[in-house]
Amino acid sequence: MKIVLLLVLLLVIVVGYLHYPKLNMISGYAAKNMATNVFYANRPIDSINTYDNGVPLIKLAKTKVDSKNKIVNSSVFGMLERKAFYREGLGAVLIDDDYNTEQKFIQPKRSKIDNKLPFPYGDILPKDSLFSTIDYDKLNTAISNAFLENHRPNLKNTRALLVVYKDQIIAEKYAEGFDENSKFLGWSMAKSLLAAVFGTLEKEKNFDIHQPVIATLKNTGWENDERAQITTHHLLKMVSGLDWEEDYTKISDVTKMLFLDRDMTKSQALKKASHKAGTNFIYSSGTTNLLSGVLRAQFKTYQEYLDFPYTSLIDKIGMNSMLFETDMEGNYVGSSYAWATARDWAKFGLLFLHEGNWNGEQIFNKTWAQYTATPTKESANEYGAQFWTNTDGFLPDAPRDMYYADGYHGQRVFIIPSKELVIVRTGLTHKGRTDSYDIMNKLVGDVVSAIKD
């Protein structure tokens, strides 16, 4: 028995030594992920531990859920404990010892559309409509294949798949434990959401994306160097020229921001310029959170900032399940933290499919949808404005006019104007974005091939 205990102790010491710098990230990820999944998505704790947090390194963390106070504590072998706290209307946040959980939290003012209109303009599903242009046998095969685990060792782990054609749901399937009411974390699909909010800002407040960021965002420290030329356009297109390391496998700029920073809007702003603005593409979650800071600077009060994404966009199109989470300083974490049901993510895609028009109301200008979908050459024609594009056929079996919101673990909202099609896919796919091209190409290609021109 003593030998066993000694071996266990030795193992703890070795693991702790090798991964100690990462423990903040490991325990922070586990706590934050558990908190919103439990207190907002209403997921079972055992399921989260087994699947969502049961991935390499993260599974080392042990979490304790305090349902009464809506707090989750997490640590690895008792070291570097992290705490996540859930706030109604604002979501969960990793907190430090200075954070006051007893404070009165200002919440965004929500307005729920409760009408009897059919989806997507309401939540009533119409009676099944059969389209002569659809090969339903091929479509059903495509949907089934998306859930078929024929892609080991990196399992697909598809959780939801929704296909909308000509504004009607033609296919919808969920993995066991999930349904049409389940709320899914979009991860970096939040970037696309924030870009859409800037579209509404342009329309409602005549915001000029081509003016320098320092014209409205103060205290950047950019006034006397080349960063003074950076515009919101540069940020949206990820060509600001600011240095950034987006690596989730180690302690990097992005992991320090997500798991340590109180104010995530400042992480990118503190970086020096490594290239002239507009000349080099660097994918950066810090850039999107800097955009959140730019958005906040457009309003006189914090309440106005909190309300705007919901009043100008989210609630207007009936995304009633949507939660856009904030950091400790109350900034929307535009890089990573937006939750919604598959049907509400589909509404988001449909808004872009219809170029900003929602049941007759123009939510953002038609030109904004076109701007979003236009790739920048600095990204090798792969990135638009907080959306990815297929202009050069990176997914060869998908139409070239397709563009999409893309999130960690295989979250996608594919928008295909030429086919009048939106495809929503959520999951827990342990492959990187480009490594999962084959899975996504197969999915989109199979669905598209089922629709006749």
Side-chain angles (χ1 to χ4, degrees):
M1 179 61 71
K2 289 183 178 179
I3 294 176
V4 172
L5 291 175
L6 185 61
L7 289 174
V8 170
L9 179 60
L10 182 61
L11 177 63
V12 170
I13 292 172
V14 170
V15 172
Y17 176 77
L18 292 176
H19 297 293
Y20 188 81
K22 296 181 180 179
L23 295 188
N24 255 321
M25 180 180 74
I26 295 170
S27 54
Y29 181 104
K32 168 69 183 67
N33 202 32
M34 178 68 76
T36 316
N37 265 299
V38 169
F39 299 124
Y40 189 71
N42 298 313
R43 295 271 315 286
I45 294 173
D46 288 346
S47 176
I48 301 164
N49 276 326
T50 301
Y51 300 107
D52 302 69
N53 285 353
V55 298
L57 291 187
I58 305 302
K59 64 183 179 183
L60 295 174
K62 301 299 180 184
T63 59
K64 296 180 180 179
V65 178
D66 178 350
S67 298
K68 179 181 179 180
N69 295 303
K70 295 190 175 181
I71 289 174
V72 175
N73 291 284
S74 178
S75 65
V76 180
F77 304 128
M79 295 182 286
L80 283 181
E81 184 176 75
R82 298 300 308 277
K83 181 184 296 184
F85 173 60
Y86 182 79
R87 308 147 301 169
E88 203 65 41
L90 302 174
V93 62
L94 286 171
I95 61 175
D96 56 27
D97 292 338
D98 296 326
Y99 192 80
N100 179 15
T101 60
E102 301 297 325
Q103 64 182 289
K104 182 178 180 181
F105 293 97
I106 299 174
Q107 298 181 29
K109 298 174 182 176
R110 301 292 302 267
S111 59
K112 181 178 180 180
I113 296 177
D114 187 16
N115 57 42
K116 303 302 179 183
L117 292 176
F119 178 91
Y121 304 118
D123 292 318
I124 304 299
L125 290 187
K127 294 180 179 179
D128 291 341
S129 296
L130 295 179
F131 291 92
S132 61
T133 52
I134 297 177
D135 183 330
Y136 284 95
D137 288 337
K138 289 184 71 173
L139 178 63
N140 291 333
T141 298
I143 301 305
S144 296
N145 183 68
F147 289 82
L148 184 64
E149 292 299 358
N150 56 0
H151 208 280
R152 296 177 184 273
N154 298 101
L155 301 181
K156 295 176 185 175
N157 281 326
T158 303
R159 288 181 164 179
L161 184 57
L162 184 70
V163 181
V164 183
Y165 175 63
K166 295 182 183 290
D167 286 352
Q168 294 203 35
I169 296 174
I170 60 170
E172 183 176 22
K173 185 175 180 178
Y174 297 90
E176 184 179 354
F178 299 91
D179 58 28
E180 68 275 11
N181 297 312
S182 297
K183 303 176 185 75
F184 300 99
L185 174 59
W187 285 110
S188 284
M189 294 203 302
K191 294 178 171 71
S192 305
L193 176 67
L194 188 63
V197 174
F198 269 89
T200 66
L201 187 71
E202 178 194 62
K203 184 177 186 297
E204 292 189 17
K205 297 183 178 294
N206 296 314
F207 180 76
D208 181 5
I209 63 171
H210 295 289
Q211 71 176 343
V213 167
I214 62 172
T216 57
L217 186 62
K218 308 304 180 184
N219 302 317
T220 59
W222 295 0
E223 292 80 5
N224 299 315
D225 59 41
E226 64 270 31
R227 295 175 296 179
Q229 304 304 314
I230 297 172
T231 67
T232 299
H233 162 73
H234 292 137
L235 299 179
L236 286 164
K237 294 286 188 174
M238 297 283 191
V239 292
S240 69
L242 295 171
D243 197 20
W244 187 262
E245 185 180 29
E246 187 90 4
D247 188 340
Y248 291 87
T249 66
K250 64 178 185 179
I251 303 300
S252 67
D253 293 330
V254 67
T255 55
K256 286 188 289 187
M257 175 186 70
L258 289 175
F259 303 114
L260 295 176
D261 286 358
R262 290 183 63 90
D263 185 341
M264 297 190 200
T265 68
K266 294 181 177 180
S267 309
Q268 182 72 88
L270 295 172
K271 292 293 182 179
K272 298 295 183 182
S274 56
H275 296 81
K276 181 180 178 181
T279 65
N280 187 65
F281 174 79
I282 299 178
Y283 182 80
S284 164
S285 290
T287 290
T288 309
N289 287 332
L290 175 54
L291 280 167
S292 185
V294 173
L295 178 67
R296 186 168 181 171
Q298 309 312 309
F299 301 96
K300 293 181 179 179
T301 68
Y302 178 55
Q303 185 71 66
E304 290 177 292
Y305 165 71
L306 271 187
D307 292 346
F308 189 75
Y310 291 100
T311 58
S312 71
L313 172 69
I314 295 169
D315 289 343
K316 268 193 176 181
I317 67 172
M319 293 178 70
N320 298 323
S321 69
M322 172 64 73
L323 172 68
F324 204 178
E325 295 184 285
T326 64
D327 63 17
M328 278 192 279
E329 295 297 330
N331 304 295
Y332 284 116
V333 186
S335 66
S336 312
Y337 296 143
W339 298 68
T341 62
R343 290 181 183 178
D344 279 355
W345 280 120
K347 291 177 183 179
F348 179 68
L350 288 168
L351 178 64
F352 278 88
L353 185 72
H354 296 309
E355 298 183 306
N357 190 283
W358 193 256
N359 201 22
E361 181 181 0
Q362 201 68 35
I363 306 298
F364 50 72
N365 295 324
K366 181 178 180 179
T367 53
W368 187 264
Q370 297 166 348
Y371 168 76
T372 294
T374 301
T376 175
K377 66 179 187 300
E378 290 79 17
S379 70
N381 286 337
E382 198 174 6
Y383 202 74
Q386 308 288 300
F387 281 79
W388 296 89
T389 74
N390 197 47
T391 305
D392 282 3
F394 295 99
L395 275 66
D397 295 325
R400 294 295 182 95
D401 68 332
M402 182 182 78
Y403 62 108
Y404 55 100
D406 177 309
Y408 182 52
H409 280 159
Q411 321 314 313
R412 301 288 190 274
V413 175
F414 295 107
I415 303 156
I416 311 176
S418 60
K419 295 292 185 178
E420 299 182 75
L421 191 67
V422 168
I423 304 171
V424 175
R425 189 268 187 194
T426 74
L428 196 65
T429 306
H430 300 300
K431 299 188 76 173
R433 185 181 62 82
T434 55
D435 289 338
S436 64
Y437 271 175
D438 50 356
I439 293 175
M440 301 305 168
N441 181 63
K442 173 70 172 171
L443 167 62
V444 176
D446 285 353
V447 170
V448 168
S449 68
I451 300 175
K452 307 168 190 175
D453 291 326

